[in-house]
Amino acid sequence: MDSFVSWLCEQLTNSRNNNLAMRAAVGALTILLRREEARLLFGQHGGIGYLTKLLKMQGAGANAQLLYELTFCLWTLSFCEEVKYNFLEQGTIAVLCEQVTAAPREKVVRVSLATLRNLCEGEADVYNTAIIGCGLPKTLKNMRERQWADPDVAEDVEAVYSALMNNFRELSTFERWAAEVNGKNLKFGLVHSEKFWRENAAELEANDFALLKALIELLKSDESEVVSVACYDLGEWVRFFPNGKSIVKNLGAKDLVMAKIEDQDADVQRHALQCMSKIMVQQWEFMR
């Protein structure tokens, strides 16, 4: 089975070159992942990351059946405790929340909600925080008022909403930022501003700069907005944290940012250049 799973992962990786092979691989996975041992094996091969990347690639005119099959595969994997943490590491939670909000088709919403339900029930504080950080409670509150053709959707809406509200509290701005970083879902907004970093720069010192290291890792993301926001946040952090410039250089951030100055995306180039200037210049405010 190991060689078959490896082959399937290869087809998912090469989806841009061979769409037919990718579709065949996804179809095979919807059957294979009904077996528990296959879920663990596929998860250990990085399967959640491959599926998440494919979902992100689909865009506005996505094929609803393909979205359903990819999300169905993620739903089966959400039953496997050994690989659940990958839903956080690969930014999958944010993608599932976006699908629920966008509601491309009822069956896609249903399987997305069912996956989130598996993640957020029980001892799942870290998953709940990520889901709340994506703003899903507000969406679910509105969805509770709707009539659904499939009763399973209404049941899952209620279950996820109840699980989130059980221990709900309004996240602080820093907790929202941390949820974005942990969910690999950085988007420009209130938690990416000069005011935010002036007030919260010191928070990144905790746990041997764990969140700073996670932010630096996001400079390697395939998503342009994630990289742009990571460059902005990193540049602001070095402005407001004592000795921040030396710390990011020692963690290898300088080389990663430098490489992004030649990125194909103009916004990434601009933010990388500004970040590099903040790392190198002593008094940035006089340069603006």
Side-chain angles (χ1 to χ4, degrees), residues 213-240:
K213 293 171 183 174
L215 177 64
I216 291 170
E217 278 297 305
L218 292 181
L219 292 168
K220 303 174 185 176
S221 173
D222 295 331
E223 295 184 53
S224 297
E225 184 173 10
V226 170
V227 177
S228 293
V229 179
C231 285
Y232 175 82
D233 283 354
L234 196 62
E236 288 299 277
W237 184 77
V238 302
R239 288 180 61 206
F240 296 111

mmCIF file of all heavy atoms in Angstrom, residues 213-240:
data_model
loop_
_atom_site.group_PDB
_atom_site.id
_atom_site.type_symbol
_atom_site.label_atom_id
_atom_site.label_comp_id
_atom_site.label_asym_id
_atom_site.label_seq_id
_atom_site.Cartn_x
_atom_site.Cartn_y
_atom_site.Cartn_z
ATOM 1 N N LYS A 213 9.609 32.362 14.903
ATOM 2 C CA LYS A 213 10.138 31.325 14.003
ATOM 3 C C LYS A 213 9.053 30.841 13.036
ATOM 4 O O LYS A 213 9.322 30.593 11.861
ATOM 5 C CB LYS A 213 10.688 30.158 14.825
ATOM 6 C CG LYS A 213 11.934 30.520 15.631
ATOM 7 C CD LYS A 213 12.329 29.414 16.595
ATOM 8 C CE LYS A 213 13.535 29.822 17.434
ATOM 9 N NZ LYS A 213 13.869 28.817 18.480
ATOM 10 N N ALA A 214 7.817 30.722 13.553
ATOM 11 C CA ALA A 214 6.702 30.308 12.694
ATOM 12 C C ALA A 214 6.420 31.370 11.626
ATOM 13 O O ALA A 214 6.128 31.048 10.470
ATOM 14 C CB ALA A 214 5.452 30.061 13.534
ATOM 15 N N LEU A 215 6.524 32.653 12.017
ATOM 16 C CA LEU A 215 6.325 33.758 11.069
ATOM 17 C C LEU A 215 7.389 33.709 9.974
ATOM 18 O O LEU A 215 7.075 33.873 8.790
ATOM 19 C CB LEU A 215 6.379 35.094 11.811
ATOM 20 C CG LEU A 215 6.250 36.358 10.950
ATOM 21 C CD1 LEU A 215 4.887 36.426 10.273
ATOM 22 C CD2 LEU A 215 6.477 37.609 11.806
ATOM 23 N N ILE A 216 8.620 33.474 10.355
ATOM 24 C CA ILE A 216 9.717 33.397 9.380
ATOM 25 C C ILE A 216 9.490 32.251 8.400
ATOM 26 O O ILE A 216 9.748 32.378 7.199
ATOM 27 C CB ILE A 216 11.072 33.255 10.109
ATOM 28 C CG1 ILE A 216 11.397 34.560 10.849
ATOM 29 C CG2 ILE A 216 12.191 32.900 9.139
ATOM 30 C CD1 ILE A 216 12.584 34.474 11.784
ATOM 31 N N GLU A 217 8.970 31.121 8.898
ATOM 32 C CA GLU A 217 8.675 29.982 8.026
ATOM 33 C C GLU A 217 7.665 30.351 6.937
ATOM 34 O O GLU A 217 7.699 29.818 5.828
ATOM 35 C CB GLU A 217 8.139 28.805 8.846
ATOM 36 C CG GLU A 217 9.208 27.965 9.505
ATOM 37 C CD GLU A 217 10.133 27.290 8.486
ATOM 38 O OE1 GLU A 217 9.619 26.586 7.596
ATOM 39 O OE2 GLU A 217 11.353 27.500 8.570
ATOM 40 N N LEU A 218 6.764 31.275 7.269
ATOM 41 C CA LEU A 218 5.730 31.663 6.306
ATOM 42 C C LEU A 218 6.300 32.459 5.132
ATOM 43 O O LEU A 218 5.615 32.661 4.126
ATOM 44 C CB LEU A 218 4.627 32.459 7.001
ATOM 45 C CG LEU A 218 3.776 31.652 7.988
ATOM 46 C CD1 LEU A 218 2.698 32.524 8.619
ATOM 47 C CD2 LEU A 218 3.139 30.452 7.306
ATOM 48 N N LEU A 219 7.548 32.899 5.241
ATOM 49 C CA LEU A 219 8.205 33.546 4.099
ATOM 50 C C LEU A 219 8.416 32.547 2.961
ATOM 51 O O LEU A 219 8.647 32.937 1.817
ATOM 52 C CB LEU A 219 9.560 34.130 4.526
ATOM 53 C CG LEU A 219 9.513 35.310 5.497
ATOM 54 C CD1 LEU A 219 10.908 35.594 6.048
ATOM 55 C CD2 LEU A 219 8.941 36.548 4.815
ATOM 56 N N LYS A 220 8.312 31.252 3.277
ATOM 57 C CA LYS A 220 8.489 30.200 2.260
ATOM 58 C C LYS A 220 7.165 29.790 1.632
ATOM 59 O O LYS A 220 7.113 28.898 0.793
ATOM 60 C CB LYS A 220 9.143 28.968 2.897
ATOM 61 C CG LYS A 220 10.479 29.234 3.567
ATOM 62 C CD LYS A 220 10.970 27.998 4.300
ATOM 63 C CE LYS A 220 12.248 28.258 5.088
ATOM 64 N NZ LYS A 220 12.661 27.056 5.878
ATOM 65 N N SER A 221 6.069 30.423 2.040
ATOM 66 C CA SER A 221 4.739 30.061 1.545
ATOM 67 C C SER A 221 4.615 30.254 0.029
ATOM 68 O O SER A 221 5.292 31.089 -0.566
ATOM 69 C CB SER A 221 3.663 30.901 2.253
ATOM 70 O OG SER A 221 2.389 30.689 1.679
ATOM 71 N N ASP A 222 3.725 29.477 -0.580
ATOM 72 C CA ASP A 222 3.447 29.631 -2.015
ATOM 73 C C ASP A 222 2.434 30.737 -2.284
ATOM 74 O O ASP A 222 2.199 31.092 -3.442
ATOM 75 C CB ASP A 222 2.889 28.311 -2.579
ATOM 76 C CG ASP A 222 3.915 27.183 -2.528
ATOM 77 O OD1 ASP A 222 5.115 27.489 -2.610
ATOM 78 O OD2 ASP A 222 3.508 26.015 -2.389
ATOM 79 N N GLU A 223 1.820 31.265 -1.224
ATOM 80 C CA GLU A 223 0.780 32.273 -1.395
ATOM 81 C C GLU A 223 1.353 33.677 -1.255
ATOM 82 O O GLU A 223 1.954 34.020 -0.239
ATOM 83 C CB GLU A 223 -0.335 32.054 -0.367
ATOM 84 C CG GLU A 223 -1.086 30.745 -0.577
ATOM 85 C CD GLU A 223 -2.235 30.593 0.393
ATOM 86 O OE1 GLU A 223 -3.078 31.505 0.473
ATOM 87 O OE2 GLU A 223 -2.277 29.570 1.077
ATOM 88 N N SER A 224 1.124 34.486 -2.267
ATOM 89 C CA SER A 224 1.722 35.827 -2.317
ATOM 90 C C SER A 224 1.302 36.703 -1.141
ATOM 91 O O SER A 224 2.135 37.403 -0.551
ATOM 92 C CB SER A 224 1.349 36.518 -3.635
ATOM 93 O OG SER A 224 1.885 35.808 -4.720
ATOM 94 N N GLU A 225 0.004 36.688 -0.785
ATOM 95 C CA GLU A 225 -0.441 37.559 0.303
ATOM 96 C C GLU A 225 0.179 37.136 1.635
ATOM 97 O O GLU A 225 0.564 37.976 2.445
ATOM 98 C CB GLU A 225 -1.967 37.569 0.432
ATOM 99 C CG GLU A 225 -2.423 38.564 1.509
ATOM 100 C CD GLU A 225 -3.919 38.763 1.578
ATOM 101 O OE1 GLU A 225 -4.664 38.005 0.933
ATOM 102 O OE2 GLU A 225 -4.357 39.690 2.301
ATOM 103 N N VAL A 226 0.299 35.825 1.848
ATOM 104 C CA VAL A 226 0.915 35.336 3.092
ATOM 105 C C VAL A 226 2.348 35.835 3.189
ATOM 106 O O VAL A 226 2.788 36.314 4.248
ATOM 107 C CB VAL A 226 0.871 33.787 3.151
ATOM 108 C CG1 VAL A 226 1.714 33.269 4.319
ATOM 109 C CG2 VAL A 226 -0.562 33.294 3.291
ATOM 110 N N VAL A 227 3.089 35.753 2.104
ATOM 111 C CA VAL A 227 4.491 36.201 2.102
ATOM 112 C C VAL A 227 4.561 37.716 2.305
ATOM 113 O O VAL A 227 5.387 38.212 3.075
ATOM 114 C CB VAL A 227 5.196 35.801 0.793
ATOM 115 C CG1 VAL A 227 6.630 36.345 0.773
ATOM 116 C CG2 VAL A 227 5.213 34.283 0.637
ATOM 117 N N SER A 228 3.683 38.457 1.639
ATOM 118 C CA SER A 228 3.672 39.921 1.775
ATOM 119 C C SER A 228 3.407 40.336 3.216
ATOM 120 O O SER A 228 4.102 41.212 3.768
ATOM 121 C CB SER A 228 2.599 40.531 0.860
ATOM 122 O OG SER A 228 2.919 40.366 -0.482
ATOM 123 N N VAL A 229 2.404 39.702 3.845
ATOM 124 C CA VAL A 229 2.067 40.040 5.234
ATOM 125 C C VAL A 229 3.202 39.632 6.161
ATOM 126 O O VAL A 229 3.545 40.362 7.108
ATOM 127 C CB VAL A 229 0.744 39.367 5.662
ATOM 128 C CG1 VAL A 229 0.428 39.702 7.119
ATOM 129 C CG2 VAL A 229 -0.406 39.812 4.774
ATOM 130 N N ALA A 230 3.795 38.477 5.908
ATOM 131 C CA ALA A 230 4.917 38.019 6.746
ATOM 132 C C ALA A 230 6.081 39.007 6.675
ATOM 133 O O ALA A 230 6.704 39.324 7.694
ATOM 134 C CB ALA A 230 5.372 36.626 6.312
ATOM 135 N N CYS A 231 6.363 39.509 5.478
ATOM 136 C CA CYS A 231 7.426 40.521 5.326
ATOM 137 C C CYS A 231 7.070 41.787 6.099
ATOM 138 O O CYS A 231 7.923 42.358 6.805
ATOM 139 C CB CYS A 231 7.615 40.870 3.848
ATOM 140 S SG CYS A 231 8.469 39.615 2.872
ATOM 141 N N TYR A 232 5.821 42.227 5.982
ATOM 142 C CA TYR A 232 5.399 43.433 6.692
ATOM 143 C C TYR A 232 5.539 43.245 8.205
ATOM 144 O O TYR A 232 6.109 44.098 8.897
ATOM 145 C CB TYR A 232 3.952 43.785 6.348
ATOM 146 C CG TYR A 232 3.454 44.955 7.167
ATOM 147 C CD1 TYR A 232 3.751 46.264 6.792
ATOM 148 C CD2 TYR A 232 2.744 44.751 8.357
ATOM 149 C CE1 TYR A 232 3.346 47.340 7.567
ATOM 150 C CE2 TYR A 232 2.334 45.828 9.132
ATOM 151 C CZ TYR A 232 2.633 47.113 8.737
ATOM 152 O OH TYR A 232 2.240 48.167 9.524
ATOM 153 N N ASP A 233 5.006 42.122 8.718
ATOM 154 C CA ASP A 233 5.041 41.884 10.168
ATOM 155 C C ASP A 233 6.464 41.773 10.684
ATOM 156 O O ASP A 233 6.801 42.295 11.758
ATOM 157 C CB ASP A 233 4.266 40.602 10.506
ATOM 158 C CG ASP A 233 2.765 40.805 10.472
ATOM 159 O OD1 ASP A 233 2.321 41.951 10.292
ATOM 160 O OD2 ASP A 233 2.017 39.813 10.637
ATOM 161 N N LEU A 234 7.299 41.089 9.922
ATOM 162 C CA LEU A 234 8.691 40.920 10.348
ATOM 163 C C LEU A 234 9.400 42.275 10.402
ATOM 164 O O LEU A 234 10.129 42.573 11.358
ATOM 165 C CB LEU A 234 9.406 39.985 9.369
ATOM 166 C CG LEU A 234 10.730 39.391 9.838
ATOM 167 C CD1 LEU A 234 10.527 38.524 11.070
ATOM 168 C CD2 LEU A 234 11.346 38.575 8.713
ATOM 169 N N GLY A 235 9.152 43.106 9.397
ATOM 170 C CA GLY A 235 9.769 44.429 9.369
ATOM 171 C C GLY A 235 9.317 45.300 10.525
ATOM 172 O O GLY A 235 10.123 46.025 11.131
ATOM 173 N N GLU A 236 8.017 45.227 10.852
ATOM 174 C CA GLU A 236 7.505 46.014 11.973
ATOM 175 C C GLU A 236 8.039 45.488 13.308
ATOM 176 O O GLU A 236 8.340 46.261 14.218
ATOM 177 C CB GLU A 236 5.970 45.990 11.977
ATOM 178 C CG GLU A 236 5.341 46.804 10.857
ATOM 179 C CD GLU A 236 5.707 48.285 10.951
ATOM 180 O OE1 GLU A 236 5.053 49.011 11.715
ATOM 181 O OE2 GLU A 236 6.669 48.708 10.266
ATOM 182 N N TRP A 237 8.162 44.155 13.414
ATOM 183 C CA TRP A 237 8.653 43.587 14.673
ATOM 184 C C TRP A 237 10.079 44.055 14.966
ATOM 185 O O TRP A 237 10.389 44.425 16.107
ATOM 186 C CB TRP A 237 8.601 42.060 14.624
ATOM 187 C CG TRP A 237 9.017 41.460 15.933
ATOM 188 C CD1 TRP A 237 8.281 41.378 17.088
ATOM 189 C CD2 TRP A 237 10.297 40.892 16.253
ATOM 190 N NE1 TRP A 237 9.017 40.799 18.096
ATOM 191 C CE2 TRP A 237 10.265 40.488 17.604
ATOM 192 C CE3 TRP A 237 11.465 40.682 15.522
ATOM 193 C CZ2 TRP A 237 11.339 39.880 18.236
ATOM 194 C CZ3 TRP A 237 12.547 40.077 16.144
ATOM 195 C CH2 TRP A 237 12.487 39.685 17.492
ATOM 196 N N VAL A 238 10.948 44.072 13.944
ATOM 197 C CA VAL A 238 12.330 44.481 14.203
ATOM 198 C C VAL A 238 12.408 45.955 14.592
ATOM 199 O O VAL A 238 13.348 46.374 15.279
ATOM 200 C CB VAL A 238 13.267 44.196 13.000
ATOM 201 C CG1 VAL A 238 13.262 42.729 12.640
ATOM 202 C CG2 VAL A 238 12.918 45.046 11.791
ATOM 203 N N ARG A 239 11.427 46.751 14.171
ATOM 204 C CA ARG A 239 11.413 48.159 14.553
ATOM 205 C C ARG A 239 11.152 48.337 16.049
ATOM 206 O O ARG A 239 11.710 49.245 16.677
ATOM 207 C CB ARG A 239 10.317 48.903 13.785
ATOM 208 C CG ARG A 239 10.593 49.140 12.313
ATOM 209 C CD ARG A 239 9.433 49.881 11.682
ATOM 210 N NE ARG A 239 9.226 51.180 12.313
ATOM 211 C CZ ARG A 239 8.066 51.830 12.347
ATOM 212 N NH1 ARG A 239 6.994 51.287 11.798
ATOM 213 N NH2 ARG A 239 7.970 53.003 12.923
ATOM 214 N N PHE A 240 10.307 47.482 16.596
ATOM 215 C CA PHE A 240 9.827 47.724 17.963
ATOM 216 C C PHE A 240 10.388 46.769 19.022
ATOM 217 O O PHE A 240 10.109 46.944 20.196
ATOM 218 C CB PHE A 240 8.297 47.665 17.984
ATOM 219 C CG PHE A 240 7.654 48.751 17.168
ATOM 220 C CD1 PHE A 240 6.975 48.464 15.999
ATOM 221 C CD2 PHE A 240 7.762 50.083 17.551
ATOM 222 C CE1 PHE A 240 6.395 49.466 15.236
ATOM 223 C CE2 PHE A 240 7.188 51.101 16.807
ATOM 224 C CZ PHE A 240 6.507 50.791 15.637
#
